[in-house]
Amino acid sequence: KNGTVDPAIKRDNLQDWLDYILMYYGRGTLLKEWYISPSAMSNEEWKGLCLTDNWARNHRGALSHTVFVGGRPDEGHPYGYIGWDMHTKTATLTVRNPKATGQILDIPFDLSTGYTGPKDAHYVAEVEYPYRAMYPAEFTAGQTMHLTIPGYATMAFEIKKGKTIVSKVALPKVDFHNVEGDPFQIVLNVPGDV
């Protein structure tokens, strides 16, 4: 992650291997040549390779049209690859942040990144790697997408039409205070409907 080499460590950890193969496939080159010694691979590494290969196969339409986005990785800038599937009108985005601190990745949402749909259309992003969840933002075609990428993170997203759902439920008040005469004891009153 940070370019240091520890001679005591003989191999990458599983997370680093998964991040590497995701970015390898996420570039969009569909011809993949692997030079692997089967005995050097653990069962988990084989599983990660197979799952990522299946993920790429399922996103072939978008990965056939990827373009580079972001800054210079050698200068510590976040970067990635985005491609649009012309049939499903969805995008596949893989990103990496080479720094330890979170950074914002700005991605044009226009023809320069392969988007050919109408301006002002609303899109959402679903995180597909390293976990599954909706990204907490909405993007509008024609306006730059701003994604916050955590430090040292490698992530994959599927971008599709939709709007974010904003919850407007009022949270009940939780009350807490110190016990009189004992600064180390706290009373916490939590409503029953929390």
Side-chain angles (χ1 to χ4, degrees):
K1 290 182 184 200
N2 59 14
T4 61
V5 177
D6 182 351
I9 299 173
K10 301 289 186 209
R11 62 188 307 141
D12 290 335
N13 66 43
L14 183 59
Q15 187 66 52
D16 289 345
W17 168 248
L18 296 173
D19 291 352
Y20 172 78
I21 58 176
L22 177 75
M23 290 305 289
Y24 182 65
Y25 277 89
R27 282 188 204 104
T29 305
L30 296 178
L31 172 64
K32 300 296 180 212
E33 294 185 16
W34 288 102
Y35 300 97
I36 296 174
S37 297
S39 62
M41 296 273 288
S42 69
N43 288 339
E44 292 81 13
E45 289 168 330
W46 279 115
K47 183 178 179 181
L49 179 58
C50 292
L51 288 171
T52 306
D53 188 72
N54 289 338
W55 170 83
R57 191 174 307 127
N58 292 336
H59 292 85
R60 183 178 300 148
L63 292 174
S64 298
H65 307 283
T66 58
V67 295
F68 181 85
V69 293
R72 292 185 52 154
D74 61 332
E75 294 178 358
H77 299 269
Y79 67 97
Y81 305 90
I82 187 170
W84 285 90
D85 185 318
M86 302 304 159
H87 300 292
T88 64
K89 307 297 184 201
T90 61
T92 298
L93 171 67
T94 56
V95 299
R96 181 173 176 266
N97 179 0
K99 279 194 173 178
T101 56
Q103 298 189 80
I104 295 175
L105 176 61
D106 297 325
I107 303 168
F109 198 163
D110 56 26
L111 192 56
S112 70
T113 55
Y115 176 75
T116 59
K119 286 187 176 182
D120 300 325
H122 297 279
Y123 283 78
V124 293
E126 181 178 356
V127 179
E128 296 188 318
Y129 175 87
Y131 56 87
R132 300 228 25 147
M134 294 305 295
Y135 187 79
E138 183 177 302
F139 306 106
T140 304
Q143 299 177 16
T144 301
M145 292 185 271
H146 307 285
L147 282 91
T148 301
I149 311 301
Y152 290 138
T154 300
M155 301 178 78
F157 300 87
E158 181 178 42
I159 300 171
K160 54 192 170 187
K161 277 193 174 182
K163 288 189 166 214
T164 57
I165 300 171
V166 179
S167 175
K168 298 195 179 202
V169 175
L171 298 175
K173 184 176 181 185
V174 176
D175 177 50
F176 63 95
H177 58 277
N178 287 76
V179 172
E180 194 172 322
D182 186 354
F184 298 106
Q185 191 173 17
I186 297 174
V187 173
L188 178 65
N189 296 315
V190 180
D193 59 347
V194 173

